[in-house]
């Protein structure tokens, strides 16, 4: 009965149905063939939609897009009527996740996919860099599956949703983006920053001529900050070509070139987002284990501990 409940709440977000309870009564649910049969049945049911909405939202921390408010003077097309483009952005990674699940595609599509999903408003946003105000009313939103022709797009972490929710209203936040990447992609969240570290001023005329990398250099001079920065800075600066709402840029407003180079895990050098994706794909076993850990934690409804390592090893090996 416990296994039946775990399976049902994991994949359906509700209690087991009569068919699952009957097999539990018979004591047959732990038989490998029966367990596989029931999992397949649960996966084919429409109630799987609850899992396809709840798990990726938690995994990707997509609730952070809800309070995101890009500067309306800089990004007026983000707003229409009393609404924002946030919900269109949020649906893109959710639909990507659903495709990988339903079509049983490789989980590496989450890193680098040659397809995505766009509504008419979101397509316009990507194509004309927010120059045209969206003509969108509250309604059913039609999304189309589209082929992607360059690797600046594709996967979950280069979507407009992630770029917007990890930025301030007026600038990118490489440290926030790096912490998101460490937590979500590699399941290795950094320690909270020291309480006495001052935030970077949003509007400082004395530093307008600097790049964000140069402005953040002061934080790395602190010994208690250096360790975390070594880990998260390369992950955040790799995404620096995406502005606060996900538009691609080669230069900052002050004319300085964006430097998105770095080294992943002190092993893989990269100079742009394509090389960064390649570096993550070279570490695909690390990503696979991190993703399996996220999923196992969701399925069990608790933190993963050292005691779960053997199970995690088996899941990671089978996934690979």
């Amino acid at each position: 009965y416990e296994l039946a409940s775990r399976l049902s709440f994991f994949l359906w977000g509700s209690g087991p149905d009569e068919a699952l309870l009957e097999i539990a009564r018979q004591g047959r649910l732990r038989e490998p063939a029966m367990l596989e049969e029931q999992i397949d049945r649960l996966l084919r049911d429409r109630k799987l939609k609850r899992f396809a909405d709840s798990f990726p939202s938690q995994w990707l921390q997509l609730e952070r897009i809800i309070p995101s408010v890009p500067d309306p003077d800089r990004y007026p097309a983000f707003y229409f009527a009393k609404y924002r483009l946030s919900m269109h952005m949020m649906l893109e990674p959710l639909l990507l996740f659903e495709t990988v699940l339903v079509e049983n595609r490789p989980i590496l599509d989450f890193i680098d996919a040659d397809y995505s999903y766009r509504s008419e408003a979101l397509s316009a946003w990507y194509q004309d860099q927010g120059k045209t105000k969206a003509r969108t009313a509250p309604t059913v939103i039609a999304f189309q599956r589209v082929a992607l022709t360059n690797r600046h797009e594709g996967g979950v972490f280069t979507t407009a949703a992630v770029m917007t929710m990890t930025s301030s209203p007026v600038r990118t936040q490489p440290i926030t983006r790096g912490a998101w990447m460490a937590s979500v992609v590699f399941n290795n969240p950094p320690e909270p920053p020291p309480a006495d570290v001052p935030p970077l001023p949003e509007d400082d005329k004395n530093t307008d001529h600097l790049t964000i990398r140069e402005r953040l250099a002061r934080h790395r001079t602190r010994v208690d900050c250096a360790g975390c920065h070594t880990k998260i800075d390369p992950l955040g600066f790799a995404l620096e070509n995406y502005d606060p709402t996900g538009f691609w840029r080669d230069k900052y407003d002050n004319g300085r070139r964006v430097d998105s180079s770095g080294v992943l895990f002190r092993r893989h050098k990269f100079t742009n987002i394509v090389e960064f994706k390649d570096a993550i794909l070279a570490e695909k076993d690390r990503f696979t284990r991190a993703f399996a850990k996220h999923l196992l934690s969701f399925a069990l409804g608790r933190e993963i501990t050292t005691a779960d390592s053997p199970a995690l090893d088996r899941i990671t090996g089978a996934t690979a």
Side-chain angles (χ1 to χ4, degrees), residues 54 116 197 241:
S54 58
S116 190
V197 176
N241 281 109

Side-chain angles (χ1 to χ4, degrees), residues 25-304:
R25 280 189 205 101
Q26 297 170 13
R28 298 182 57 205
L29 194 51
R30 290 192 180 277
E31 297 173 8
M34 179 58 72
L35 181 59
E36 189 165 340
E37 178 184 315
Q38 288 305 305
I39 290 171
D40 285 346
R41 183 176 72 85
L42 266 62
L43 288 171
R44 288 196 301 270
D45 193 282
R46 291 183 64 86
K47 290 193 284 290
L48 185 67
K49 176 66 175 170
R50 300 169 188 170
F51 167 74
D53 287 340
S54 58
F55 169 70
S57 296
Q58 292 183 38
W59 169 45
L60 300 172
Q61 304 173 11
L62 290 177
E63 75 283 351
R64 293 171 61 172
I65 190 70
I66 296 170
S68 296
V69 283
D71 183 358
D73 292 330
R74 298 189 188 199
Y75 309 103
F78 187 84
Y79 302 89
F80 52 94
K82 296 184 293 182
Y83 304 93
R84 291 176 276 172
L85 205 63
S86 310
M87 295 303 103
H88 293 253
M89 291 180 173
M90 179 188 282
L91 283 167
E92 183 181 5
L94 288 177
L95 289 169
L96 173 63
F97 179 88
E98 200 167 297
T99 301
V100 173
L101 173 66
V102 173
E103 297 184 5
N104 198 24
R105 296 181 60 87
I107 61 170
L108 297 180
D109 279 8
F110 296 140
I111 303 299
D112 191 22
D114 61 0
Y115 64 93
S116 190
Y117 287 86
R118 302 283 159 80
S119 65
E120 186 177 340
L122 194 57
S123 289
W125 178 260
Y126 277 109
Q127 288 166 10
D128 73 0
Q129 303 278 289
K131 295 182 178 69
T132 306
K133 249 190 177 301
R135 296 178 180 175
T136 308
T139 182
V140 173
I141 304 170
F143 272 72
Q144 303 294 327
R145 184 163 171 166
V146 297
L148 301 178
T149 56
N150 77 69
R151 293 176 66 197
H152 293 171
E153 303 174 38
V156 293
F157 63 79
T158 57
T159 58
V162 173
M163 297 299 100
T164 301
M165 73 189 196
T166 54
S167 299
S168 82
V170 296
R171 68 168 181 85
T172 55
Q173 294 180 308
I175 295 175
T176 302
R177 288 180 174 180
W180 183 92
M181 287 287 296
S183 302
V184 172
V185 177
F186 298 111
N187 207 340
N188 186 22
E191 293 294 323
D196 59 340
V197 176
L200 198 65
E202 294 289 8
D203 191 15
D204 186 351
K205 300 299 183 184
N206 296 322
T207 58
D208 280 351
H209 63 290
L210 301 176
T211 66
I212 291 181
R213 189 185 288 259
E214 290 167 343
R215 293 172 68 187
L216 286 171
R218 68 187 69 176
H219 287 269
R220 289 189 213 91
T221 61
R222 290 181 50 145
V223 175
D224 52 346
C225 294
C228 274
H229 278 285
T230 299
K231 181 170 72 172
I232 66 176
D233 282 10
L235 302 175
F237 282 114
L239 308 176
E240 191 60 11
N241 281 109
Y242 302 91
D243 82 355
T245 57
F247 295 146
W248 184 263
R249 62 185 179 184
D250 293 307
K251 295 182 178 180
Y252 294 106
D253 292 341
N254 63 9
R256 300 284 301 277
R257 275 196 79 78
V258 173
D259 177 8
S260 60
S261 63
V263 181
L264 181 65
F265 301 133
R266 303 183 182 181
R267 188 183 310 166
H268 306 282
K269 291 185 177 181
F270 59 86
T271 60
N272 54 50
I273 188 63
V274 174
E275 293 177 5
F276 180 60
K277 285 184 174 183
D278 287 338
I280 296 178
L281 293 174
E283 295 284 344
K284 58 181 179 290
D285 290 345
R286 192 188 295 245
F287 165 69
T288 300
R289 185 180 178 84
F291 180 74
K293 189 175 178 182
H294 280 297
L295 191 57
L296 185 58
S297 178
F298 179 86
L300 298 176
R302 62 168 173 79
E303 296 270 337
I304 299 303

